[in-house]
Amino acid sequence: MTTPTPSTPYVANKPKDVPSAEALRARIPGWGVDLDPKDRPSYPREVFDPAGTGAHWDYPEEQPGREGRERSIEHGQLTPVFGTSAPLHGVSGIIRRYAYRYSEGRAAHWLLLLAGDRVDAWGAHLSSLASLRPDNPVTQTGVLSEGRRQGITSRFGKKRADVNHLWLDPVVVAGPWVAAAAGAVVVVRSAVRRAR
C-alpha cells in the first residue's frame, strides 16, 4: 500500500504537478481575486493620485489650537489634525500632561497616563455623589446580571480567558466603593467623638 503524497506545498519534495492559475481560478471560486492591482481595495492608497482622491494639498492645513497640546517627545511636531473632544482638565490633566515628558518607551509615560485616568474617574465619581443622581455601583457595574443572565455559569467549561481574573473583579469594582464607605464612617465617627 502506497502512502498518498500530501497536497500541501510545505513538504520537502513538492509535487511537480502544481496547478496553473487558470486551473485554480476554475476550481476555487474567488482565487486570485487580488492579483490585478485594479481589483485590490488597498491599491489606490499605494499610488499617489491627488486628482483621484480629491486632495488639494501635499500636507494638510494645520488645525488651530495647537498651543499647549500634549505631544509625544518621539515626534518633532504635533500631527496636523488632532482630537479636541476630551481636553485635559484638573488634576488628571496635570498628571497626563506630565506623562508626555517621558518617552512612550518608558513605563513612567504609561503609568502616569493610567494614574491620570484613575484620578479622572474618581473625580467623576465624586461629582456624581455631589449631584442629585449619584452613581449606583450595584446596577451600573452589571453585578445583578451575573446571576440573572447565566453570567457565572457561562464562564466555566468554555475555556474563557476572563475566568483567570474572575476572583479579582469584585475587588477592583467594589473595593474602591467599600474603601470610600469605610473612610466616610471613620470621618463621621471622628466628628461625633469631637462633638462629645
Side-chain angles (χ1 to χ4, degrees):
M1 179 172 193
T2 60
T3 311
T5 307
S7 61
T8 176
Y10 301 107
V11 293
N13 295 324
K14 283 200 239 180
K16 302 291 183 216
D17 57 340
V18 177
S20 66
E22 290 76 23
L24 287 171
R25 192 173 287 114
R27 190 177 71 200
I28 304 169
W31 186 91
V33 67
D34 59 350
L35 289 179
D36 186 4
K38 288 181 260 169
D39 291 336
R40 291 206 318 262
S42 65
Y43 182 72
R45 291 187 298 174
E46 297 170 4
V47 177
F48 180 69
D49 181 18
T53 62
H56 60 280
W57 37 261
D58 204 18
Y59 183 76
E61 296 175 25
E62 293 188 348
Q63 183 176 336
R66 304 168 68 77
E67 300 78 24
R69 296 298 306 192
E70 56 282 356
R71 173 185 58 83
S72 174
I73 61 174
E74 278 87 4
H75 302 285
Q77 64 185 46
L78 193 62
T79 56
V81 180
F82 50 87
T84 57
S85 64
L88 301 181
H89 61 278
V91 177
S92 67
I94 293 169
I95 294 170
R96 288 175 176 159
R97 195 167 281 116
Y98 187 72
Y100 284 94
R101 293 185 181 188
Y102 295 98
S103 166
E104 291 181 14
R106 299 206 34 209
H109 175 81
W110 301 106
L111 290 174
L112 284 167
L113 288 177
L114 284 169
D117 179 66
R118 294 295 85 212
V119 167
D120 195 29
W122 271 101
H125 291 317
L126 291 175
S127 66
S128 79
L129 288 174
S131 72
L132 296 176
R133 295 184 57 125
D135 293 340
N136 185 342
V138 176
T139 58
Q140 292 177 346
T141 56
V143 171
L144 298 178
S145 66
E146 288 289 322
R148 293 181 189 155
R149 310 232 191 280
Q150 293 84 29
I152 295 172
T153 57
S154 70
R155 287 186 172 87
F156 298 104
K158 309 280 193 284
K159 297 183 180 178
R160 287 178 49 170
D162 60 349
V163 175
N164 295 336
H165 61 79
L166 181 63
W167 65 273
L168 189 60
D169 290 345
V171 175
V172 171
V173 172
W177 292 100
V178 171
V185 168
V186 168
V187 168
V188 169
R189 280 188 180 174
S190 64
V192 169
R193 284 184 193 150
R194 287 184 184 163
R196 289 182 185 174

